[in-house]
Amino acid sequence: MIRFLAPLLLAACAAGTPHFRDVPATRVAVNGSVFDVRVRGDLAEAVRINAQYAPRLGPVRDRAALAMAQVSGCPILDVLGDAAVTVGVLGCDRDAGERLLLTAVSTPNYECIDFGLYENVGGENGYQVFECTPY
């Protein structure tokens, strides 16, 4: 019985929160953290799916913001949540044809290198890997 329930419980860990549940995820890795990112309206959600030591939001916050910015194409105005699930406020109007920047906040600038698509160990879809450094 446990063998049948374990995959269901593990799959639930990467599922989106209720607001993002029906939105397909884009898997992105940023500096050692792997996220499933979903975007709906003016919000983005990053669910960290890899095991790593992160007892608080601080060490993961910037990586989650970078992952959400890469997927949404918008700057992230604010990030809320914890080390496992974060929600970012998008800094542009995704519904408009062009990317209109909303009120900007002071955020560090990062240069990111896209390392391409890599396959997941479990045989799932691949995910993008970025190495980002502040400048």
Side-chain angles (χ1 to χ4, degrees):
M1 181 73 162
I2 297 291
R3 287 186 291 195
F4 298 111
L5 290 177
L8 291 175
L9 293 174
L10 290 175
C13 293
T17 57
H19 182 71
F20 296 93
R21 185 158 290 137
D22 296 332
V23 179
T26 301
R27 187 158 291 175
V28 179
V30 177
N31 294 353
S33 295
V34 181
F35 301 95
D36 275 352
V37 178
R38 294 170 177 84
V39 178
R40 174 173 273 166
D42 61 350
L43 297 175
E45 174 187 67
V47 177
R48 189 171 52 83
I49 61 165
N50 65 319
Q52 68 182 139
Y53 181 70
R56 56 187 173 79
L57 181 58
V60 178
R61 182 183 191 278
D62 289 340
R63 287 176 263 176
L66 285 169
M68 291 184 280
Q70 291 290 338
V71 172
S72 69
C74 297
I76 304 300
L77 299 179
D78 197 11
V79 177
L80 304 169
D82 59 30
V85 179
T86 56
V87 175
V89 179
L90 302 182
C92 68
D93 184 1
R94 289 179 44 90
D95 294 330
E98 66 266 2
R99 300 282 185 231
L100 300 174
L101 292 181
L102 300 176
T103 306
V105 296
S106 176
T107 57
N109 293 320
Y110 288 87
E111 180 177 18
C112 297
I113 299 170
D114 183 356
F115 285 102
L117 195 64
Y118 292 89
E119 279 299 312
N120 230 349
V121 175
E124 297 177 17
N125 294 331
Y127 56 90
Q128 288 179 291
V129 176
F130 295 93
E131 185 69 33
C132 302
T133 54
Y135 65 88

